[in-house]
Amino acid sequence: MKRIIWATGAIVVVLVLVIGGIYAVSTSRLTARHEVTPPTLSIPDDPESIVRGEHLLTLSKCGECHGEDLAGKVIIDEPFLARLSGPNLTPAGPLGSQSDADLITAIRYGLSVEGQPLLGMPTAEHFHFSDAELVAMIAALRALPPVERTVPPQKVGLLFRALYLAGEIELVGLEQVDIHGPRPDPVPAEVSLPYGAHLARTGGCYSCHGEHLAGGPMAGAPPDFPPASNLTPDASGLAEWSEVDFVRSMRQGIRPDGSSIDPAMPWRYTQAMTDAELSALWLFLRSVSAAPYGQH
Ligand code: HEC
Ligand code: HEC
């Protein structure tokens, strides 16, 4: 009897230490302060820049997390996992009182006005937007019609913290890029391989299709998500596809054999890509090395 009590006591102590450890280590990373010096950029307000910015906000799928009208949305709310919500990005929300530098810092570096990580923001994608693209996006945000909506604050549960520390889910996008490193040279928007690579990077193809674009199950995806497809010119990928097939898949969500692509593939957003953007992206996808399905 005594032994059982001792053993139970020991297990409880170990559990408390492990849980306490997970909270302590994850909190220090999730709330760490980062210093960056955002560039001084002037935000345009001409209609052409605003239209360009709206297009980029669509291709970046901001609406997936901030709501279709960008006025805020609860992304996930599960007790042991997390509650994550994309704040209201219209002028009626917190952005209304933030400076342009605050917005540059939030979008490019994934940092809040307090200099702490914005949890769940895909900074590994946004970081690659050029200055011109970034200011056009901010111009479009500033021009949104104001919508009153408040979302609940973020809360990260034990399981999400453990998965985050184990490297299974990415909660802090800025940890995946060198936010203090040099900025890449801007790429002209034209039908070219470098621009296709830029569109793949900023369009988030890597975050679902993997670092080699070879597809496979996605870490941290909801259980009803199918694995991502192989986008490389491998036999298990797009080897047999033509550009016309690719454009149809990105605009209508249909494969060459007529089957539909699951809406987990965000073709609702990629359908907004222009002919030139899709041609550039196809040029790029044709240039990557063929990799077997699921290669990491
Ligand atoms: C995968 C989900 C996701 C996507 C996609 C996303 N965001 Fe966010 N964003 C969030 C979450 C979650 C927060 C709140 C994070 C926090 O408070 O820790 C946030 C916060 C922000 C903030 C800070 C708001 C504030 O209250 O200070 C800005 C600005 C922002 N996002 C802009 C954008 C823009 C612009 C895009 C598209 C280019 C975008 N986001 C795409 C999830 C996302
Ligand atoms: C949010 C995750 C996500 C993002 C971002 C994403 N994809 Fe996908 N994609 C998927 C999933 C999941 C599938 C498989 C859907 C299915 O099985 O029906 C898929 C399928 C595809 C297919 C169909 C191939 C086939 O035969 O199944 C193409 C083409 C494709 N994606 C291209 C892209 C490109 C190019 C990008 C970047 C602009 C991109 N995807 C971004 C998740 C994503």
Side-chain angles (χ1 to χ4, degrees):
M1 191 61 188
K2 247 190 188 164
R3 266 202 213 148
I4 294 178
I5 293 174
W6 267 104
T8 316
I11 291 172
V12 169
V13 168
V14 169
L15 270 181
V16 167
L17 286 177
V18 168
I19 293 174
I22 290 175
Y23 266 90
V25 178
S26 59
T27 302
S28 79
R29 275 171 64 186
L30 297 176
T31 60
R33 279 176 202 276
H34 300 259
E35 288 271 345
V36 291
T37 315
T40 311
L41 304 171
S42 64
I43 309 299
D45 59 5
D46 61 293
E48 203 186 322
S49 303
I50 292 172
V51 169
R52 170 95 182 117
E54 284 168 350
H55 181 65
L56 293 167
L57 295 178
T58 303
L59 297 196
S60 316
K61 306 173 286 297
C62 314
E64 284 280 272
C65 299
H66 291 276
E68 205 91 345
D69 58 359
L70 298 181
K73 168 183 163 178
V74 175
I75 307 165
I76 173 176
D77 192 358
E78 303 281 349
F80 288 99
L81 301 176
R83 185 180 61 211
L84 286 179
S85 18
N88 185 347
L89 301 181
T90 77
L95 273 61
S97 56
Q98 290 179 13
S99 68
D100 295 337
D102 291 337
L103 279 190
I104 293 169
T105 308
I107 302 171
R108 176 167 287 169
Y109 305 104
L111 290 169
S112 70
V113 280
E114 289 85 27
Q116 291 171 310
L118 290 168
L119 307 183
M121 267 281 269
T123 305
E125 298 163 20
H126 298 166
F127 184 69
H128 297 277
F129 282 116
S130 67
D131 289 352
E133 289 170 327
L134 190 58
V135 296
M137 286 158 75
I138 295 174
L141 291 176
R142 295 282 194 219
L144 284 173
V147 177
E148 298 284 347
R149 191 180 306 144
T150 313
V151 294
Q154 325 297 332
K155 210 163 69 183
V156 188
L158 181 63
L159 198 55
F160 247 46
R161 287 173 185 263
L163 288 170
Y164 164 65
L165 291 182
E168 290 297 322
I169 54 168
E170 286 142 4
L171 269 178
V172 181
L174 66 90
E175 290 177 349
Q176 297 162 262
V177 281
D178 177 10
I179 53 170
H180 303 292
R183 303 237 14 98
D185 290 331
V187 189
E190 60 190 21
V191 181
S192 72
L193 201 154
Y195 191 56
H198 179 69
L199 288 167
R201 184 63 66 198
T202 53
C205 314
Y206 291 92
S207 47
C208 293
H209 289 274
E211 56 175 321
H212 297 291
L213 297 174
M218 290 180 272
D224 58 338
F225 255 51
S229 316
N230 186 350
L231 301 184
T232 74
D234 183 71
S236 66
L238 307 185
E240 302 297 324
W241 286 40
S242 67
E243 182 169 347
V244 172
D245 294 334
F246 175 65
V247 170
R248 192 190 306 115
S249 72
M250 299 287 280
R251 291 225 172 114
Q252 294 164 38
I254 298 173
R255 294 192 185 82
D257 66 6
S259 61
S260 343
I261 300 172
D262 190 278
M265 161 64 202
W267 61 267
R268 279 192 312 125
Y269 293 89
T270 58
Q271 68 179 351
M273 296 183 94
T274 64
D275 292 349
E277 285 166 340
L278 286 172
S279 293
L281 193 49
W282 182 244
L283 265 184
F284 167 68
L285 288 178
R286 269 337 204 197
S287 78
V288 303
S289 325
Y293 172 73
Q295 188 183 66
H296 283 294

